[in-house]
Amino acid sequence: MSLPENLAESTLEKTNARLTELFANRTGRMRASEIRELLKLLDQPNIISFAGGIPDPAYFPREAFAEAMTKALSEQAAAVALQYSTSEGYTPLRDWIVGYMARHGVTCTRDNILITAGSQQALDYLGKIFLNAGDTALVTWPTYMGALGAFNAYEPRYDRIDPQTNRPTEDVLAGAKAAGGEVKFAYLSTDFANPTGVTLTEDQRRTVLSRAEALGCAVIEDAAYQELRYRGEAIKPILALEIEEKGDIDACRTIYLGSFSKTLAPGLRVGWAVAAKPVISQMVLTKQAADLQTATINQIAVSEVANGVFEDHVAKLREVYGVRLDAMLAALERHMPEGVEWTKPDGGMFVWVTLPQGMDGAELLKEALKANVAFVPGGAFYADGSNRNTLRLNFSMSAAAKIEEGIARLGDVIRAQL
Ligand SMILES: Cc1ncc(COP(=O)(O)O)c(C=O)c1O
């Protein structure tokens, strides 16, 4: 390397070091997602990956979207589809959501709805709106790691919400105060949670609500997987239970987040928030400042496809993924050694595995990769990185025969470590 190039390199290093120093404190808690790193593995041949958390692209409603996009781009429609639109979202889509929410027991108007770029954006906005540095966010242990990622930028302290344990309200409030802030919200996934697959019973939903009332905090209800139920009866969302109690959504503390990512397609980035008007108004202001609006053409296409094929399409997904869930549960039963436990979800995309104490999911992954099988180590789903003897398995991406083979490989790897 010639001298000028060396000089250039040291200048580059110094500049990069200085730029990094200039980053705000909040960036200190932004970390590369273990999941994103792992997704790179999906490209390798021979790997059976249970690591993703994504829908099977073979079942995207491609034709319906192709038709919807062609229609949106026709001569008359394109002037709207390619134009800026309102921050609140495309009115016909919000109206479809009003009907959808009503079917789930939530009576609301379009003014209670904001369209977001996926529910991930809503999580970021809610962090931005509610959290001062040092405030407390209550989360389940484990929780969706993308929610931790979204909230981390606002420098909260995390504490546990667990409807199965009876922790005194004063204890939670005292912890928040000692950290110099307030309890702002409880975030949880009500149906087939990521990562555990667990669903809250109606009683547990009511418990969450009454705890939030006692704590004086909001509830963020993440319903990303709600539609993917393969057996059993649907349970009303927390927001629906609260509306029954209070009589009006505008008197409710629950903020419901929906998404088309798991039902139609994640690539369009269309999700929504439903809440009391003051919360939605603040989210609209936040959106105006952040990205003005969710892509007009994507909202139009989703509206068209939702109006056309939503129910039929979701019925198809339930059939396909239901078979895969059963295949995974049966394979775990066949291949896991004694001492390994797992959840038995009624829907969603994940099964959560607990290994014997002392084992480490991240260490196990290294061995598993040698045997060409991948998963996500569980530690990343805990706000404190604890419980490393856990792992998340996705079943939506693999056909039954692959699931059988992959779980057999995983069983062998675990057995070898015991
Ligand atoms: C529980 C949960 N919430 C939210 C999201 C974000 O989804 P999207 O932004 O695509 O709606 C995901 C994605 O995997 C998720 O698992």
Side-chain angles (χ1 to χ4, degrees):
M1 216 180 270
S2 68
L3 195 60
E5 275 180 359
N6 277 337
L7 276 177
E9 197 159 317
S10 77
T11 309
L12 182 137
E13 267 169 31
K14 268 194 207 147
T15 312
N16 283 357
R18 178 60 188 148
L19 285 174
T20 312
E21 269 171 25
L22 293 172
F23 290 170
N25 294 344
R26 72 180 73 91
T27 63
R29 288 175 62 175
M30 295 178 187
R31 302 225 171 78
S33 146
E34 222 166 318
I35 287 196
R36 293 268 167 273
E37 292 305 306
L38 277 164
L39 280 177
K40 294 175 191 159
L41 297 171
L42 295 180
D43 294 337
Q44 289 180 30
N46 306 325
I47 284 249
I48 297 181
S49 178
F50 302 126
I54 56 180
D56 188 337
Y59 298 94
F60 287 151
R62 193 196 64 79
E63 281 179 19
F65 273 115
E67 266 176 42
M69 285 289 184
T70 305
K71 190 170 155 194
L73 289 172
S74 69
E75 219 171 309
Q76 306 88 324
V80 174
L82 297 178
Q83 189 54 280
Y84 285 115
S85 55
T86 62
S87 299
E88 287 82 351
Y90 182 57
T91 304
L93 180 58
R94 283 154 75 216
D95 288 346
W96 184 88
I97 293 167
V98 168
Y100 172 89
M101 295 306 297
R103 291 195 288 284
H104 289 279
V106 172
T107 309
C108 64
T109 69
R110 73 164 83 107
D111 296 332
N112 297 109
I113 296 169
L114 168 71
I115 306 294
T116 54
S119 48
Q120 190 66 29
Q121 184 174 57
L123 293 172
D124 174 46
Y125 288 179
L126 292 171
K128 199 178 228 175
I129 288 169
F130 283 107
L131 297 171
N132 292 315
D135 274 340
T136 293
L138 303 181
V139 295
T140 49
W141 233 252
T143 188
Y144 168 50
M145 93 168 63
L148 296 176
F151 302 150
N152 277 346
Y154 305 102
E155 305 175 274
R157 158 187 177 265
Y158 294 106
D159 199 347
R160 287 177 82 136
I161 173 99
D162 180 356
Q164 276 163 309
T165 65
N166 203 2
R167 195 164 146 222
T169 305
E170 301 71 50
D171 200 42
V172 182
L173 290 173
K177 198 167 168 205
E182 283 185 75
V183 180
K184 289 295 178 70
F185 57 72
Y187 163 80
L188 20 71
S189 204
T190 26
D191 298 281
F192 327 118
N194 180 2
T196 59
V198 167
T199 296
L200 296 185
T201 63
E202 185 172 320
D203 275 355
Q204 288 169 340
R205 292 172 199 225
R206 289 189 197 281
T207 303
V208 169
L209 201 49
S210 63
R211 299 248 173 102
E213 304 252 338
L215 291 163
C217 72
V219 175
I220 301 176
E221 174 173 34
D222 185 334
Y225 297 92
Q226 178 179 286
E227 286 301 310
L228 300 183
R229 174 178 281 283
Y230 317 130
R231 52 181 159 251
E233 292 292 309
I235 303 170
K236 282 186 191 159
I238 297 179
L239 180 55
L241 298 174
E242 191 177 9
I243 292 173
E244 278 177 9
E245 245 175 57
K246 310 249 172 81
D248 188 336
I249 188 174
D250 287 318
C252 290
R253 64 179 64 242
T254 303
I255 302 156
Y256 173 105
L257 305 184
S259 174
F260 289 104
S261 292
K262 317 298 175 183
T263 49
L264 297 181
L268 290 144
R269 311 304 304 130
V270 181
W272 69 94
V274 187
K277 284 189 202 84
V279 174
I280 293 298
S281 301
Q282 190 58 50
M283 290 183 85
V284 170
L285 289 177
T286 308
K287 191 160 179 70
Q288 278 166 2
D291 70 346
L292 299 180
Q293 56 154 114
T294 298
T296 314
I297 192 167
N298 292 8
Q299 295 185 67
I300 292 175
V302 165
S303 176
E304 188 77 14
V305 173
N307 272 299
V309 303
F310 188 84
E311 288 304 330
D312 289 349
H313 185 69
V314 171
K316 174 81 192 158
L317 291 182
R318 288 192 193 112
E319 202 182 299
V320 173
Y321 293 160
V323 168
R324 293 177 179 184
L325 168 60
D326 289 344
M328 181 161 275
L329 293 176
L332 285 164
E333 206 63 62
R334 259 193 298 278
H335 300 294
M336 283 300 130
E338 190 115 350
V340 176
E341 291 173 5
W342 57 92
T343 55
K344 299 182 177 65
D346 290 327
M349 294 187 175
F350 307 107
V351 174
W352 181 247
V353 175
T354 305
L355 304 165
Q357 279 298 339
M359 281 188 84
D360 183 319
E363 290 302 315
L364 186 76
L365 178 61
K366 290 180 196 155
E367 294 308 309
L369 288 174
K370 291 179 198 160
N372 281 328
V373 58
F375 54 81
V376 182
F381 297 96
Y382 291 88
D384 61 358
S386 63
N387 294 67
R388 293 177 63 86
N389 62 321
T390 52
L391 50 100
R392 189 191 75 178
L393 300 176
N394 164 267
F395 57 81
S396 60
M397 276 294 286
S398 315
K402 260 203 168 168
I403 289 175
E404 169 67 19
E405 171 62 25
I407 296 295
R409 288 182 197 172
L410 184 59
D412 288 343
V413 174
I414 294 174
R415 208 168 284 108
Q417 299 274 302
L418 284 172

